[in-house]
């Protein structure tokens, strides 16, 4: 393995392990549990396929959870930055 390949490999491994540590940190554990639970439920429902309506309902729920994570992340970032600006001004 050349120096560049080793450097890229070490960088990718570090990014992945740091990301996993963040996901299981105290701050994000609730979101991680919700994400894993929705993934497990969707796999179980799609594998057994009791009826098409139930599968479609679970897919809609998963999409709603994903969109809510994105929106909550964007709103939280904006809200925190606004709160910091107000705190600096006061």
């Amino acid at each position: 393995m050349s120096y560049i390949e080793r450097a890229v490999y070490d960088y990718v491994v570090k990014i992945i392990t740091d990301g996993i540590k963040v996901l299981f940190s105290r701050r994000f554990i609730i979101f991680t549990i919700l994400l894993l639970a929705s993934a497990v439920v969707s796999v179980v429902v799609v594998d057994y396929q009791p009826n098409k309506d139930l599968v479609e309902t679970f897919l809609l729920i998963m999409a709603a959870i994903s969109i809510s994570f994105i929106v909550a992340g964007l709103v939280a970032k904006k809200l925190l930055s606004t709160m910091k600006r107000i705190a600096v001004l006061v």
Side-chain angles (χ1 to χ4, degrees):
M1 198 183 279
S2 71
Y3 173 76
I4 294 174
E5 289 171 334
R6 196 168 346 124
V8 169
Y9 175 77
D10 289 342
Y11 175 75
V12 169
V13 168
K14 182 182 181 313
I15 293 296
I16 290 172
T17 55
D18 287 348
I20 291 171
K21 287 178 188 176
V22 168
L23 282 176
F24 288 100
S25 68
R26 186 172 180 221
R27 182 177 176 191
F28 296 108
I29 192 69
I30 293 172
F31 298 109
T32 304
I33 290 170
L34 286 173
L35 187 66
L36 292 175
S38 68
V40 168
V41 168
S42 68
V43 167
V44 168
V45 168
V46 170
D47 279 348
Y48 291 115
Q49 295 179 359
N51 61 23
K52 188 175 180 178
D53 292 334
L54 185 62
V55 172
E56 288 177 1
T57 304
F58 275 107
L59 289 176
L60 287 173
I61 290 170
M62 284 180 16
I65 290 171
S66 300
I67 292 169
S68 66
F69 277 145
I70 293 169
V71 170
L74 293 173
V75 169
K77 179 65 175 168
K78 185 69 172 172
L79 183 65
L80 287 175
S81 65
T82 304
M83 288 173 53
K84 288 177 185 176
R85 289 181 190 155
I86 291 171
V88 168
L89 292 174
V90 173

